[in-house]
Amino acid sequence: VSIIDINGVLSFYDMEVSTNDDGTASGEHLGFERKDAWDMVWAEDNPQLFAMMEKTRMYIMRGLDLEEPVLSSGYLCGFKDLHIKAVLLDEVMKSPEHADKEMVLDYETRSLRDA
């Protein structure tokens, strides 16, 4: 499970760690955190992959290995087959009647670009 708190700290919890004596599950806070995060999305087809936004940079992570950042201010809306889809919502909200396909961005992960 991942959580971005009100201070923009992205934290991860392993919810399959243990069960308490009363039958409730308790999670373990993993040591990995990122600051200034405002969006993240898990890959639909790989539980080890996720994309996150930190300030104006998008990071792709495989497990806890970080790819080089990509400059972007798009809101993440999908991650599948090593492709990330983002929308420039600020631009859409400025002129919703003139929204077009150029406001939807597609990014490839480094492993897909290198293939």
Side-chain angles (χ1 to χ4, degrees):
V1 173
S2 60
I3 298 171
I4 299 175
D5 68 18
I6 195 164
N7 297 314
V9 177
L10 174 63
S11 303
F12 295 89
Y13 294 85
D14 183 355
M15 300 306 288
E16 297 180 359
V17 173
S18 64
T19 304
N20 297 329
D21 293 335
D22 61 358
T24 61
S26 64
E28 175 186 352
H29 181 258
L30 304 178
F32 180 79
E33 288 186 343
R34 299 292 295 191
K35 296 186 182 343
D36 298 320
W38 55 272
D39 197 7
M40 74 91 55
V41 63
W42 291 98
E44 295 176 33
D45 52 355
N46 186 339
Q48 294 296 313
L49 280 173
F50 67 92
M52 61 164 286
M53 298 299 298
E54 189 176 277
K55 295 187 179 180
T56 58
R57 292 184 174 91
M58 178 178 60
Y59 292 92
I60 313 304
M61 303 199 61
R62 182 180 303 272
L64 299 179
D65 297 326
L66 198 62
E67 287 189 7
E68 74 275 358
V70 176
L71 287 176
S72 175
S73 58
Y75 287 77
L76 303 173
C77 55
F79 188 0
K80 186 176 181 181
D81 297 328
L82 303 177
H83 288 272
I84 298 108
K85 186 170 288 210
V87 177
L88 298 173
L89 280 181
D90 295 338
E91 299 300 317
V92 171
M93 296 308 289
K94 282 182 190 175
S95 58
E97 63 279 350
H98 294 84
D100 60 15
K101 292 180 183 180
E102 293 171 2
M103 294 177 186
V104 177
L105 309 173
D106 286 306
Y107 297 99
E108 296 178 341
T109 61
R110 181 182 64 211
S111 54
L112 185 60
R113 289 191 308 263
D114 292 347

